[in-house]
Amino acid sequence: MPAKILYQLAASSLLFLLLGFAKPRPRPTLFLIGDSTVRNTNAPQMGWGNVIDAHFDTTRLRVQNNAMAGRSTRTFISEGRWDKTVAALRPGDFLIMQFGHNEGSAPDTSKAGRRGVLRGTGPETKALLWPDGHPETVNTYGWYLRKFIQEARAKGATPIVASMIPRNEWKDGKVIRASSDFGKWAAEVAQQEGVAFINLNEITALKYDKMGPDEIKNFFPGDHTHTNEAGARVNAESVVDGIRSNRKIALNKYLKK
């Protein structure tokens, strides 16, 4: 056998062996960020992020729920929680963000206003000076979502925006939607940034409308915002419905059949 062919066979065999010993690629991770409607440990309340892993093949995809009760887009960043999340992102990971329940107060340095953001998606800012002397620039809700999206993309992850789950609030026999404020702004930012949008607010609201207020009240022990486990599972299913409705979302391949 010619020496050249022997060399090629040897090289191929060596490459095969090296590939055999190569470290397998780690599972991608689905990171969740948001508030208590995504992660809640105050039983019997529960967030949808606490139960959504049941819908995924977790031998192929990890689910990391980094949401924290009481946080807004603003405080999730100012407390350093976003820095820890973005530092953990790797190429091939996914990020679902769902905020809106804690952003509504006028932004200031008081207990009531420390979570508030400016309304809308524009470039407006508000300068604050905290009692300890440190300054803070407060931005719009859309600005904070863009920060999450752009920095996740820079790490090679796939960001997905979800609108906030509906509260147990009704008008004229229908659940009140967030389609004129935070849900609307979340959709606008997702479209502007060219990322997938899950209209979680509308998907779940349609289910609530069909069930009716008498049945839905059983999902909300204690207040109109925080669901129990049964309600959390409905919302988790709504997230999955939103994923399935958009075949371009690569998370589809990790869903259980």
Side-chain angles (χ1 to χ4, degrees), residues 69-88:
R71 273 57 184 185
S72 65
T73 47
R74 173 185 165 196
T75 55
F76 197 83
I77 292 169
S78 64
E79 293 178 1
R81 298 180 187 280
W82 172 241
D83 285 343
K84 292 179 181 178
T85 299
V86 75

Side-chain angles (χ1 to χ4, degrees), residues 8 21 23 53 75 125 147 164 170 172-173 214:
Q8 291 174 337
F21 286 107
K23 293 176 67 175
D53 58 349
T75 55
T125 62
K147 178 178 173 68
M164 57 193 273
W170 299 73
D172 300 328
D214 289 340

Side-chain angles (χ1 to χ4, degrees), residues 186-228:
E188 287 175 357
V189 171
Q191 183 178 26
Q192 291 162 3
E193 294 294 319
V195 300
F197 174 64
I198 296 174
N199 197 349
L200 182 55
N201 189 264
E202 180 66 15
I203 294 170
T204 294
L206 287 170
K207 295 176 181 179
Y208 286 2
D209 289 348
K210 187 175 181 179
M211 294 179 192
D214 289 340
E215 184 173 351
I216 295 306
K217 69 181 180 182
N218 296 320
F219 292 161
F220 291 88
D223 61 34
H224 60 29
T225 301
H226 302 97
T227 64
N228 56 16

Side-chain angles (χ1 to χ4, degrees), residues 130-143:
W130 284 78
D132 65 3
H134 86 268
E136 181 188 7
T137 299
V138 180
N139 299 278
T140 61
Y141 177 69
W143 185 94

Side-chain angles (χ1 to χ4, degrees), residues 25 40 46:
R25 293 187 65 183
N40 197 328
M46 187 175 289

Side-chain angles (χ1 to χ4, degrees), residues 34 45 81 97 100 102 135 175-176 195-197 244 247:
Q45 297 173 352
R81 298 180 187 280
M97 60 195 79
N102 297 315
V175 173
I176 296 174
V195 300
F197 174 64
R244 291 193 191 279
R247 301 307 299 178

Side-chain angles (χ1 to χ4, degrees), residues 130-194:
W130 284 78
D132 65 3
H134 86 268
E136 181 188 7
T137 299
V138 180
N139 299 278
T140 61
Y141 177 69
W143 185 94
Y144 292 110
L145 292 183
R146 286 192 188 92
K147 178 178 173 68
F148 297 143
I149 292 168
Q150 292 169 6
E151 294 184 5
R153 272 178 162 168
K155 294 296 294 287
T158 300
I160 300 166
V161 179
S163 54
M164 57 193 273
I165 65 167
R167 297 183 174 98
N168 185 25
E169 297 179 318
W170 299 73
K171 183 177 180 181
D172 300 328
K174 301 287 185 182
V175 173
I176 296 174
R177 269 63 164 174
S179 53
S180 62
D181 46 38
F182 292 102
K184 172 178 177 285
W185 301 328
E188 287 175 357
V189 171
Q191 183 178 26
Q192 291 162 3
E193 294 294 319

